[in-house]
Amino acid sequence: MSRTLIVAAAQTGPVARGDSRPAVVRRLIALLREAHGRGARLVVFPELALTTFFPRWWMEDAAEIDSFFEREMPGPETRPLFEEAQRLGVGFYLGYAELAEQAGRTRRFNTAILVDRAGRIVGRYRKVHLPGHRDHLPDRPYQHLEKKYFEPGDLGFPVWRSMNANIGMCICNDRRWPETYRVMGLQDVELVLLGYNTPIPSVMTPQYDHLAAFHNHLSLQAGAYQNACFVVGTAKAGQEEGSNLLAGSCIIAPSGEIVALAASKGDEVITAACDLDLCAINKRTTFNFAAHRRVEHYRLITERTGAAPPAG
Ligand code: CDV
């Protein structure tokens, strides 16, 4: 039986600070319907898809900060997306800011969920690699305050068996780290789903702004090839509250090739028919981990966080 799954990346254009949740959800539903019309059974929405990319602003008022977070999922404003996806029989990935009450503590995460075709949340991922800074940098036009507004994820990089595929998730900056994909690769991942908001100019590396699109695809293609899996990367793109967000949503095959690529900076659906059995080619040969990995030489990867020069 063929394991070909039509997957969609549902890129969105900018979301303004004043856009209501119901208005954003209506846009997501329109993209979902378009993807379904093109045969997609799994749709990937961006990181923090329900709001503007608020870590660009220094905020101190707790109520203002919390207005960007979801306390329940689905809640009254997001439920229509779940209902429509269930009606259409389409699974989806959705990124949002999660406010969780855990063991008497309020915790905030940059989160993505995997929803199956029956509208059930079957997977939850909390962003591990939080970029940026936690202090106010008033000389900069924009901040990148993910380290202030979110805790690092506490769930690792699980892979779920759902929709007849081994599916993993990550979020934006995670895509630049080979460890992200390798941990999922070791769980036989076939599809890595991720959303991103990549502001240009970058607060961290303005020297590389002209290479932002290249580095995006380089990271996604390397992750797909080296772990023999498909990768779906979905942007929130365009001029958002004066900040330019990288577009370039794409679907990558296990060969490392880009098989679908967004052409615009706005709301746009791209699709690819992903034959999941193609993952087996490199999983059985070049990247047969059981046959070729030499874990006795990889200890530093988990023992040391920062780089240190050689002794002597
Ligand atoms: N949302 C992000 O994680 N953005 C980062 C930027 C700050 C570099 C990214 O890796 O695209």
Side-chain angles (χ1 to χ4, degrees):
M1 188 178 107
S2 160
R3 292 181 63 228
T4 296
L5 172 64
I6 301 181
V7 179
Q11 174 176 288
T12 71
V15 174
R17 190 173 195 151
D19 289 350
S20 69
R21 294 287 200 289
V24 176
V25 168
R26 279 196 293 278
R27 279 169 68 185
L28 301 185
I29 290 174
L31 291 165
L32 184 85
R33 287 180 180 148
E34 185 176 341
H36 173 258
R38 293 206 227 158
R41 306 294 312 278
L42 178 62
V43 175
V44 181
F45 293 112
E47 172 192 32
L48 300 176
L50 300 171
T51 63
T52 200
F53 189 71
F54 61 91
R56 71 170 66 93
W57 294 308
W58 177 261
M59 294 179 280
E60 291 176 357
D61 181 73
E64 185 183 15
I65 296 169
D66 285 352
S67 71
F68 293 101
F69 283 76
E70 312 302 315
R71 290 173 184 272
E72 49 178 342
M73 187 57 68
E77 291 163 325
T78 43
R79 188 160 289 115
L81 176 65
F82 283 68
E83 288 171 351
E84 185 64 357
Q86 183 182 2
R87 190 183 76 77
L88 297 172
V90 176
F92 64 91
Y93 163 114
L94 178 71
Y96 66 99
E98 177 192 10
L99 194 151
E101 301 293 344
Q102 277 180 214
R105 270 181 65 206
T106 301
R107 307 185 66 184
R108 293 174 184 78
F109 298 100
N110 187 341
T111 293
I113 47 170
L114 178 64
V115 179
D116 73 7
R117 295 181 187 129
R120 289 182 303 243
I121 296 177
V122 292
R124 177 179 304 273
Y125 169 73
R126 290 168 170 165
K127 187 174 184 178
V128 166
H129 300 101
L130 296 175
H133 50 100
R134 54 176 68 72
D135 302 323
H136 192 198
L137 304 177
D139 54 324
R140 310 262 176 102
Y142 295 104
Q143 314 291 304
H144 199 106
L145 292 161
E146 287 194 60
K147 287 190 190 297
K148 169 175 162 66
Y149 296 130
F150 304 115
E151 286 180 54
D154 59 349
L155 301 175
F157 294 100
V159 171
W160 295 270
R161 181 74 189 171
S162 183
M163 296 173 262
N164 201 26
N166 298 345
I167 303 177
M169 298 189 279
C170 64
I171 301 177
C172 196
N173 192 259
D174 290 319
R175 75 196 188 285
R176 303 185 193 274
W177 298 89
E179 295 87 347
T180 297
Y181 305 92
R182 184 47 51 92
V183 173
M184 292 192 258
L186 286 165
Q187 298 166 79
D188 219 7
V189 74
E190 294 172 315
L191 260 174
V192 172
L193 315 180
L194 69 103
Y196 60 91
N197 285 257
T198 299
I200 312 164
S202 156
V203 173
M204 271 94 64
T205 51
Q207 305 87 334
Y208 286 146
D209 281 346
H210 62 298
L211 298 174
F214 166 65
H215 288 154
N216 179 37
H217 290 156
L218 177 70
S219 304
L220 299 173
Q221 291 179 261
Y225 170 64
Q226 292 172 345
N227 295 279
C229 61
F230 288 87
V231 175
V232 183
T234 305
K236 175 137 68 60
Q239 275 304 116
E240 190 180 82
E241 298 289 355
S243 165
N244 181 40
L245 295 175
L246 179 70
S249 300
C250 56
I251 302 174
I252 316 289
S255 59
E257 294 164 285
I258 297 176
V259 291
L261 178 62
S264 76
K265 290 182 170 185
D267 289 14
E268 179 180 348
V269 173
I270 57 169
T271 58
C274 300
D275 177 357
L276 299 175
D277 288 333
L278 288 179
C279 301
I281 297 173
N282 264 344
K283 284 190 195 294
R284 287 204 197 113
T285 56
T286 309
F287 297 115
N288 180 336
F289 293 164
H292 306 306
R293 291 182 80 242
R294 304 300 330 182
V295 292
E296 66 274 27
H297 298 297
Y298 306 156
R299 277 177 35 205
L300 272 187
I301 288 178
T302 53
E303 286 181 356
R304 189 183 285 178
T305 303

